[in-house]
Amino acid sequence: MDWPYELQIGWRYTRSGRAGRRNGFISFISAVSMAGIALGVAALIIVLSVMNGFQKEVRDRMLSVIAHVEVHAAGDAALPDWRIVAAQARKHPQVIGAAPFVAAQGLVSHGEAMRGTLVRGISPADEASVTPLAAKLRPEMDRLVPGGWGVLLGAELARSLGVREGDKVALITPGGQVTPAGVIPRLKQLTVAGTFETGHWDYDNGLALMHLDDAARLFRVEGPTGVQLRLKDVQAARRVADELGRSFGAGYELRDWTRSNRAWFDAVQVEKRLMFIILTLIVAVAAFNLVSTLVMTVTDKRADIAILRTLGASPRSVMGVFMVQGAASGVIGTLAGVLFGTLVALHIDTIVPAIERALGVSFLPGSVYVISRMPSDPQRGDIVPIAIISLLLAFVATLYPSWRASRVQPAQALRYE
């Protein structure tokens, strides 16, 4: 197959430059440009993959505690019959689990220590079908019995209060009792039935679990204030919540996990976009190094350009020769960066520990970070745009030097040859 001569000459220029001091220097600059593009693309893929991994890790730990969708009566009143609500929700093909709950704020105190907490009343028998935490804490859940006034505390909350299993804590609830002496806060003494650790600081430091009946009595509600739902596809939570909201009608409010934790996820997305922009600038700097490489190549090849013009090559063909040379460098650098970055992202769980052992340091000490390993989740939705942007930047960088080559006049270029 006969390739266009512009492609053949451009590819030859890309591979040439080994002989001669000047040509060797141009070849070195071209190699540095390709290496810069490759490193920039690889850095972008690795950083975004690690951010995806952290986001996935935090999300999984968060969803081990909370449900995918919550159904509330309007105004957070008690549901007339939570089983009817659960049965109606189960008609949706995505819903695979349902459990009632009561949620309220309170203060937990022990001695001089006092901490604000989210108190959740649950049904131990049903909770395991909704949250993985309940399925993992079967023995502790069995200790929560109606009238036993037991409570499960997050590990960090228990440490800050200085309590262990079997100790007594006081729970102060909002809406005190009105007496002739004034409003007296309502409080109840509870027994610590155990602790749990989710790996998510917010829940480990601010969540207390009680039996549903005890929580309803304590907070003076007639029954569950909501129903938790577990879905087959966690990513479909917002769509399922909207569909169930239309089927339930105006008397109910539905909240999915993405809306309940919207501030955190919005912050992560903003950070990810900023990192993408910053690291793309690194790729842009490396890509525009091709400008200097091609300008030097055009200066060095003025005689070759003049000969091509005298043989009948058009300015457009000359421009195509140098665009092929620059584009080839961009393609090679981009492909090398994608390959290297993807390999590192896929094996970062073995690369990082090896570097830690070699340097004798720990990048994620367990005493500071909950996650003790570097997570990574390379996604096609990140890698493909990175490759496309890198190729576009490399192509744009070839335009000016190629146009300059097309403007070379044969007579002037050969005058001193």
Side-chain angles (χ1 to χ4, degrees), residues 2-14:
D2 293 333
W3 296 95
Y5 74 89
E6 295 93 346
L7 183 63
Q8 297 182 39
I9 297 175
W11 177 244
R12 181 180 178 183
Y13 283 171
T14 303

Side-chain angles (χ1 to χ4, degrees), residues 82-125:
W82 74 268
R83 290 180 178 82
I84 295 177
V85 175
Q88 185 175 350
R90 285 182 182 274
K91 294 179 182 178
H92 196 286
Q94 278 285 339
V95 178
I96 58 176
F101 73 98
V102 171
Q105 300 286 338
L107 289 173
V108 180
S109 66
H110 178 74
E112 297 295 326
M114 181 176 293
R115 297 289 183 273
T117 182
L118 172 65
V119 181
R120 184 187 298 167
I122 60 172
S123 171

Side-chain angles (χ1 to χ4, degrees), residues 305-376:
I305 295 171
I307 293 172
L308 286 173
R309 291 296 307 277
T310 57
L311 292 175
S314 65
R316 179 176 296 183
S317 295
V318 174
M319 187 174 180
V321 168
F322 290 94
M323 289 185 68
V324 167
Q325 180 184 358
S329 300
V331 170
I332 294 172
T334 300
L335 292 180
V338 168
L339 180 62
F340 178 69
T342 304
L343 287 175
V344 172
L346 290 173
H347 299 88
I348 201 166
D349 55 341
T350 57
I351 295 175
V352 171
I355 296 176
E356 290 178 338
R357 288 193 296 269
L359 299 179
V361 298
S362 177
F363 297 135
L364 293 173
S367 59
V368 178
Y369 299 97
V370 174
I371 301 173
S372 59
R373 63 180 183 84
M374 186 78 74
S376 179

Side-chain angles (χ1 to χ4, degrees), residues 92-170:
H92 196 286
Q94 278 285 339
V95 178
I96 58 176
F101 73 98
V102 171
Q105 300 286 338
L107 289 173
V108 180
S109 66
H110 178 74
E112 297 295 326
M114 181 176 293
R115 297 289 183 273
T117 182
L118 172 65
V119 181
R120 184 187 298 167
I122 60 172
S123 171
D126 300 304
E127 187 73 11
S129 66
V130 175
T131 59
L133 176 68
K136 186 175 69 173
L137 298 176
R138 286 281 188 180
E140 290 83 355
M141 289 289 175
D142 291 339
R143 300 173 194 158
L144 300 180
V145 295
W149 298 104
V151 63
L152 298 177
L153 300 178
E156 290 296 329
L157 179 59
R159 289 192 198 100
S160 62
L161 293 173
V163 297
R164 295 179 297 178
E165 182 181 335
D167 291 343
K168 301 290 184 179
V169 295

Side-chain angles (χ1 to χ4, degrees), residues 68-368:
H68 299 162
V69 177
E70 294 180 355
V71 183
H72 297 261
D76 287 333
L79 296 172
D81 191 339
W82 74 268
R83 290 180 178 82
I84 295 177
V85 175
Q88 185 175 350
R90 285 182 182 274
K91 294 179 182 178
H92 196 286
Q94 278 285 339
V95 178
I96 58 176
F101 73 98
V102 171
Q105 300 286 338
L107 289 173
V108 180
S109 66
H110 178 74
E112 297 295 326
M114 181 176 293
R115 297 289 183 273
T117 182
L118 172 65
V119 181
R120 184 187 298 167
I122 60 172
S123 171
D126 300 304
E127 187 73 11
S129 66
V130 175
T131 59
L133 176 68
K136 186 175 69 173
L137 298 176
R138 286 281 188 180
E140 290 83 355
M141 289 289 175
D142 291 339
R143 300 173 194 158
L144 300 180
V145 295
W149 298 104
V151 63
L152 298 177
L153 300 178
E156 290 296 329
L157 179 59
R159 289 192 198 100
S160 62
L161 293 173
V163 297
R164 295 179 297 178
E165 182 181 335
D167 291 343
K168 301 290 184 179
V169 295
L171 177 60
I172 305 171
T173 64
Q177 298 175 344
V178 179
T179 67
V183 179
I184 299 176
R186 288 187 294 112
L187 59 87
K188 180 66 179 180
Q189 192 175 59
L190 307 176
T191 303
V192 178
T195 62
F196 59 86
E197 190 164 5
T198 66
H200 194 289
W201 190 86
D202 288 344
Y203 297 109
D204 289 343
N205 191 59
L207 180 62
L209 301 177
M210 298 177 59
H211 193 278
L212 180 67
D213 294 345
D214 292 346
R217 289 175 57 189
L218 184 61
F219 293 101
R220 295 184 176 180
V221 292
E222 297 179 357
T225 58
V227 175
Q228 303 177 97
L229 304 178
R230 186 168 185 81
L231 309 179
K232 293 179 182 178
D233 182 9
V234 64
Q235 300 298 338
R238 180 165 295 192
R239 174 178 60 82
V240 173
D242 293 338
E243 293 173 357
L244 289 176
R246 289 190 293 269
S247 65
F248 277 113
Y252 296 89
E253 298 177 359
L254 283 92
R255 306 168 190 166
D256 65 275
W257 66 275
T258 61
R259 291 188 178 99
S260 301
N261 301 276
R262 183 173 180 177
W264 185 84
F265 282 99
D266 286 349
V268 171
Q269 290 303 318
V270 169
E271 183 179 356
K272 187 176 177 180
R273 292 191 193 102
L274 289 176
M275 291 300 298
F276 185 90
I277 294 172
I278 292 171
L279 293 175
T280 300
L281 293 177
I282 297 176
V283 180
V285 170
F288 280 95
N289 281 337
L290 292 174
V291 175
S292 58
T293 302
L294 290 178
V295 167
M296 288 188 294
T297 303
V298 169
T299 303
D300 186 59
K301 302 294 185 182
R302 287 175 63 88
D304 293 0
I305 295 171
I307 293 172
L308 286 173
R309 291 296 307 277
T310 57
L311 292 175
S314 65
R316 179 176 296 183
S317 295
V318 174
M319 187 174 180
V321 168
F322 290 94
M323 289 185 68
V324 167
Q325 180 184 358
S329 300
V331 170
I332 294 172
T334 300
L335 292 180
V338 168
L339 180 62
F340 178 69
T342 304
L343 287 175
V344 172
L346 290 173
H347 299 88
I348 201 166
D349 55 341
T350 57
I351 295 175
V352 171
I355 296 176
E356 290 178 338
R357 288 193 296 269
L359 299 179
V361 298
S362 177
F363 297 135
L364 293 173
S367 59
V368 178

